[in-house]
Amino acid sequence: MLIWQSKVYRALSSQAVTDWKRVCRQPFFLRLSTQGSIIQTDELAGDRVRELGIPGTWSGVLQHVRIPFVSYPYEWSFSMLRAAALLHLEILTEAIQAGTILKDASPYNVQFHGARPVFIDIGSFVALTPGEPWIGYRQFCEMMLFPLLLQAYRRIDIQPVLRANLDGISAREFLRSLSWRDMLRPGVFTHGWVQSVLERTSGDSHENTAEALKSSGFGRQLILNNLARLTTLIRRLNWKPPQTQWTDYRHELPHVVADAAAKSGFVQSVCLTGRRQLVWDLGCNDGHFSRIAACNAEYVVAMDQDHGCVERLYRQLASEGSTNILPLCIDLLNPSPAQGWRGRERVRLEERGQPNLVLCLGLIHHLVIAGNIPLPEVVDWLASLNAEVVLEFPSKLDPMVQGLLRNKRDQYEDYSLPFLEATLLKAGFQIRERTDLPSGERTLLYLIPQ
Amino acid sequence: MTAVVAYLDPGSGSLILQALVGGFSGLVVLGRYLWTHWMTHKAIQPRTELSAEMPVVTHLH
């Protein structure tokens, strides 16, 4: 994959060209591409490749439609990972019926365009060798099935599991988090326990198991049977997000209700000053302000550290078929870093797209008082994004701030509006607009970088 | 015959499991696989035992 002059290309070897030419004409591929489940892809003619000056010598080059904002499985909510798994199974089922197979089963092969999962790894499609088992089955279990089962059965959040283990978790590690009672739950005994035992007992074998199974009469129907069972299992998985202090936050707290109309109006007036390419809504909660921003923006990334909030927002957006709001589980106190080989495989959050507008509503007191990040540091980080900002500042008399200070020594002498404004100006922001909200203890600022 | 190879290690146990979860026809495949596996193992083992008892030839004339 390479990004050249802001466009996304896939460089192909001669074998990959053969695989591409084969799959791109298959009816299932054309149908899924047309409906948006597989990324739209065009093959570039040789003279066009030379004209573009794409570096390297390749047998072929494909051009993909660019996904507005790249996200990773360790930033997705439960239903997002489930949607990615189901999409993978659906594509694989159709591919196998057409004599094609996916050579791996990584959730990184799926991206989200808003709430819609899209399969992006065109290079995964290869011809199915008769008698060949599903090579990606173990990877599918380790990277998608087991994390989903852990979330559904044990309420172990998928994000830290997948962020710490980029290749997923083995059947053995999966079983360690379960009790004996969980063996009776669908999928655990077969895909977990039996797989773990077989892996352990067959580990010393020197034979080529895939070849041996092929000689024993393994056929594509066996893969299809397994895929059908996995699809049923994953469709039935459910996780009920727990009620946290952030559930129904906007409708229950008196000061939030009092400020709601004025806050929405302020955000809307800022959004109407111009159409933005990319908006970040930090601490998005139920996505109310993301939706306001989305009315006049190409794309909105709605981030919240609360898995339950992101899950509920994703479910709503998915049911509406939304394609311009991407909800992600991001803890700004510990955002996604650069990861993988040499830190180059997975890109850090700030390097995946420059926002034009950042909504920072009901957040700064959590970063400064709950997270102990010095206020000038927060301002410095916002300035580093080089974007316009809508910033909400609750004073120390605000009920939420008082709640955060209740059991703490107040060592936040510089947490005040005058100090914030002075720091913003020093960091290069211009305060274009300032409004005090009706609750009396919150101020909204519209900031422009200089 | 085309060799079945992949850039991903599919795991021997995970491959065998695919026959097990494949329904009745999968069990037939698994039975054949285990039979072949057992026969191969059985055919190799006596030779190993015999070689252990064989005298070591140190000089050849």
Side-chain angles (χ1 to χ4, degrees), chain A residues 65-69 112-115 271-272 274-281 289-302 317 321-327 354-357:
Chain A
V65 165
R66 191 165 186 169
I67 293 286
F69 194 87
F112 278 85
H113 195 136
C271 291
L272 288 175
R275 189 166 180 83
R276 272 83 175 186
Q277 195 69 29
L278 180 63
V279 177
W280 283 9
D281 182 6
F289 298 103
S290 304
R291 287 174 189 274
I292 291 176
C295 291
N296 201 24
E298 291 299 317
Y299 208 66
V300 178
V301 183
L317 294 169
S322 169
T323 53
N324 72 336
I325 301 177
L326 171 69
Q354 153 101 51
N356 309 104
L357 173 67

Side-chain angles (χ1 to χ4, degrees), chain A residues 242-264:
Chain A
Q243 297 286 315
T244 65
Q245 60 171 321
W246 307 116
T247 314
D248 285 333
Y249 171 84
R250 269 192 339 102
H251 304 109
E252 283 179 359
L253 294 175
H255 69 280
V256 179
V257 175
D259 291 344
K263 204 162 147 180
S264 300

Side-chain angles (χ1 to χ4, degrees), chain A residues 104 132-135 137-139 190 194-195 198-199 202 207-214 216-217 222 225-226 229, chain B residues 1-4 6-23 25-26 29 32-33 37:
Chain A
D104 57 4
E132 177 187 37
W134 175 22
I135 299 298
Y137 168 63
R138 181 165 80 164
Q139 192 182 33
T190 317
V194 176
Q195 187 168 185
L198 286 173
E199 278 297 308
S202 62
E207 70 175 5
N208 181 335
T209 312
E211 274 298 339
L213 282 169
K214 189 176 164 183
S216 305
L222 298 186
N225 292 350
N226 191 15
R229 284 180 182 181
Chain B
M1 194 163 68
T2 317
V4 180
Y7 80 98
L8 206 68
D9 178 6
S12 298
S14 305
L15 292 175
I16 297 164
L17 178 58
Q18 288 183 54
L20 192 63
V21 296
S25 49
V29 171
R32 271 197 223 122
Y33 166 80
H37 186 77

